[in-house]
Amino acid sequence: VVTTGSKIACKMETLISNKLLPFVADLGPTKLQVPQSLQAAAQAYLQGQDFPTTKAERFKYTRLAKLANAQLSAAHQLDAAQLEQYGILTDAYTIYVNNDQILIPQNLPVGLEIHLSTQEAGTFHEASFYDIFGALNILHAQNGVSIALAKNCTLDKPIQIVQVNSGGKSFYRHHFNFGANSEAAIYFVSKQQEQTTSFSHTHLQYEIAQDARIKIFKLQDTAQNHFDFNEDRAQQAAKSHFEINTLTLDGSFVRNDTMVAVQGEHAQTYLNGAYWLKEEQHVANYTTIDHQVANCESFETYKGVAGDKATAVFNGKVFVRKDAQKTNAYQSNANVLLSENASVNSKPELEIYADDVKCSHGSTTGQLDENALFYLRARGMSAASAKTLLLQAFMEDVLTYVKHEEVLAYVQQRIAERFNWNY
């Protein structure tokens, strides 16, 4: 596998089409210790590839012309004082990620280790690319962190990863290894410097050992000119509890692709998402929960509010394999449209090969209940206050998972600012 920058550029010309070539022309080779076999698999996948069109199932409702034609700002790094302004939690083990630099906190507790991914080897699973961006991440990831939590370790405060985009294209690769009977909360904050246009693709890989209790909170609060692509890949062992709660507060083009392989019995998996969209925002959530063994539970709830000309996509799939008897799986997507020009494309799916399971899925999209609005207004509430109260109640199913008061206050403040809602 060729690893020098100039030779990779020449090699890529023969692999991909002219339309995609300008997008990758300025990308350097990965700085991570990626196995050569994995790089070769990524290059093979990209053979003859172009930007996916709506004919591809995973991009059926997502048009990438805006990204292909985007004029991205020149990348530049921020100093520590600038980065600290983007944090949300005041009491956390905070990591700052910005282009080629990563700032790691000092004085970590016993049992918690944080390293740069450039210093780690052997943290890459077998190649499985579902789109060109995942393959490009393998070849061009410039940075990332590797976090390990020892067995029987319970963190006294959360880990906060603040990833700040400040122009250009960035590919990151973060790895998490949670030991047996460990417990932690991770807050992944995506932000963007104002007045810049940028693209980022972030791969997050989780390994959750037996009896571990891990909660991930993703707070996506970028600007209207950022393309925020994310991959979450998790492997979950027996009797573990694993959550990913994704809150999309802002961002012009956001794509989340989450896959969880449930590999141990009596495991619990929760995937939750909330998104508030306006103007011409586009947010897509793709989820896959793969039940491979018996006696496990998964619960999935995604809710969204879309106004103006915004578009939302939800495609959730639950696999129940032949040996995964006694599986209990629940999946739901619900949306409220605040405008006739807003749209939602929802596709919940179940693929079941076992015969002793309890599985359900559902999807609803509609407008606010006029009778409920009339009821509240008849009791003295203004139209705006009544609308806000109903929307707040609608999103409560997801927000109830946010137990951190500082984070919840931040979420409510940002929603109020963007939509002029009185929380």
Side-chain angles (χ1 to χ4, degrees):
V1 176
V2 180
T3 56
T4 62
S6 60
K7 291 183 178 180
I8 270 195
C10 295
K11 179 72 173 177
M12 294 301 289
E13 290 184 11
T14 65
L15 293 177
I16 60 181
S17 74
N18 290 332
K19 188 176 180 181
L20 184 57
L21 186 58
F23 183 79
V24 303
D26 59 345
L27 297 177
T30 181
K31 299 178 182 178
L32 280 61
Q33 299 182 39
V34 183
Q36 290 190 350
S37 59
L38 195 52
Q39 293 194 50
Q43 289 184 333
Y45 179 87
L46 288 169
Q47 181 75 44
Q49 292 281 5
D50 199 346
F51 276 106
T53 68
T54 53
K55 294 181 180 180
E57 182 63 27
R58 294 178 64 79
F59 290 85
K60 187 175 181 179
Y61 304 106
T62 300
R63 301 181 185 276
L64 294 174
K66 185 177 179 181
L67 173 60
N69 299 326
Q71 298 295 318
L72 303 181
S73 307
H76 63 280
Q77 291 189 173
L78 307 178
D79 59 35
Q82 291 174 306
L83 292 175
E84 289 174 358
Q85 298 177 7
Y86 292 96
I88 294 178
L89 285 75
T90 55
D91 188 21
Y93 300 109
T94 301
I95 303 164
Y96 293 99
V97 181
N98 173 234
N99 294 336
D100 288 335
Q101 69 172 333
I102 294 182
L103 305 180
I104 295 177
Q106 303 299 315
N107 301 319
L108 298 176
V110 175
L112 175 62
E113 295 185 2
I114 303 177
H115 302 285
L116 297 179
S117 293
T118 51
Q119 301 171 346
E120 296 291 318
T123 60
F124 295 87
H125 289 166
E126 66 278 2
S128 55
F129 309 115
Y130 295 91
D131 57 50
I132 62 169
F133 303 103
L136 290 173
N137 188 294
I138 286 290
L139 296 174
H140 303 289
Q142 71 243 50
N143 230 326
V145 292
S146 181
I147 298 177
L149 188 62
K151 66 178 182 179
N152 300 322
C153 182
T154 298
L155 287 185
D156 57 332
K157 56 185 178 181
I159 297 174
Q160 178 181 218
I161 303 174
V162 183
Q163 189 164 291
V164 184
N165 304 284
S166 55
K169 292 186 285 283
S170 300
F171 288 85
Y172 301 106
R173 205 165 185 91
H174 304 305
H175 178 255
F176 304 84
N177 190 315
F178 301 105
N181 195 39
S182 62
E183 183 171 357
I186 314 293
Y187 290 83
F188 187 86
V189 181
S190 298
K191 301 288 287 186
Q192 183 186 2
Q193 186 184 32
E194 295 182 0
Q195 313 275 325
T196 60
T197 302
S198 56
F199 167 88
S200 66
H201 182 280
T202 305
H203 177 97
L204 300 108
Q205 181 175 306
Y206 312 93
E207 297 176 20
I208 304 100
Q210 181 172 331
D211 291 309
R213 300 168 299 282
I214 305 301
K215 297 181 179 181
I216 309 295
F217 298 88
K218 301 182 70 175
L219 303 173
Q220 299 171 331
D221 190 12
T222 58
Q224 290 295 317
N225 47 356
H226 177 64
F227 300 87
D228 190 8
F229 285 43
N230 301 272
E231 288 182 347
D232 292 89
R233 302 290 184 262
Q235 294 181 331
Q236 191 174 355
K239 299 180 183 178
S240 59
H241 176 104
F242 182 61
E243 294 181 16
I244 298 182
N245 302 287
T246 304
L247 307 181
T248 305
L249 306 176
D250 202 354
S252 62
F253 199 111
V254 180
R255 182 176 177 86
N256 299 304
D257 185 343
T258 302
M259 296 185 178
V260 180
V262 185
Q263 301 174 333
E265 291 194 26
H266 302 288
Q268 289 184 326
T269 308
Y270 290 79
L271 297 183
N272 303 295
Y275 39 93
W276 294 263
L277 314 182
K278 61 186 296 188
E279 299 174 351
E280 296 185 359
Q281 285 183 268
H282 176 87
V283 174
N285 286 290
Y286 285 76
T287 68
T288 301
I289 300 178
D290 188 355
H291 287 277
Q292 301 177 4
V293 296
N295 299 306
C296 294
E297 297 181 317
S298 66
F299 304 91
E300 191 170 356
T301 303
Y302 279 74
K303 287 193 169 186
V305 175
D308 301 326
K309 296 182 180 180
T311 59
V313 179
F314 174 80
N315 190 322
K317 194 161 192 175
V318 176
F319 285 100
V320 182
R321 304 297 179 177
K322 182 179 179 180
D323 295 331
Q325 303 291 348
K326 304 293 185 182
T327 292
N328 181 14
Y330 169 82
Q331 183 187 77
S332 174
N333 175 231
N335 303 276
V336 171
L337 299 181
L338 303 179
S339 164
E340 294 182 355
N341 296 317
S343 63
V344 174
N345 299 282
S346 181
K347 187 182 179 183
E349 300 178 79
L350 296 174
E351 193 166 326
I352 302 172
Y353 299 96
D355 55 14
D356 185 10
V357 300
K358 293 181 180 179
C359 298
S360 65
H361 64 167
S363 175
T364 59
T365 299
Q367 299 176 329
L368 288 175
D369 188 336
E370 292 294 336
N371 290 330
L373 283 172
F374 178 80
Y375 177 87
L376 293 175
R377 293 206 63 190
R379 277 146 184 80
M381 295 187 71
S382 67
S385 296
K387 176 181 174 181
T388 299
L389 182 61
L390 290 179
L391 290 172
Q392 183 179 11
F394 172 73
M395 301 298 275
E396 186 63 25
D397 288 351
V398 176
L399 292 181
T400 189
Y401 288 93
V402 183
K403 305 298 185 183
H404 198 293
E405 293 184 2
E406 191 174 24
V407 173
L408 185 59
Y410 176 86
V411 170
Q412 293 174 342
Q413 177 186 351
R414 288 292 290 123
I415 297 169
E417 291 173 352
R418 294 194 63 229
F419 290 87
N420 196 28
W421 293 347
N422 182 20
Y423 263 84

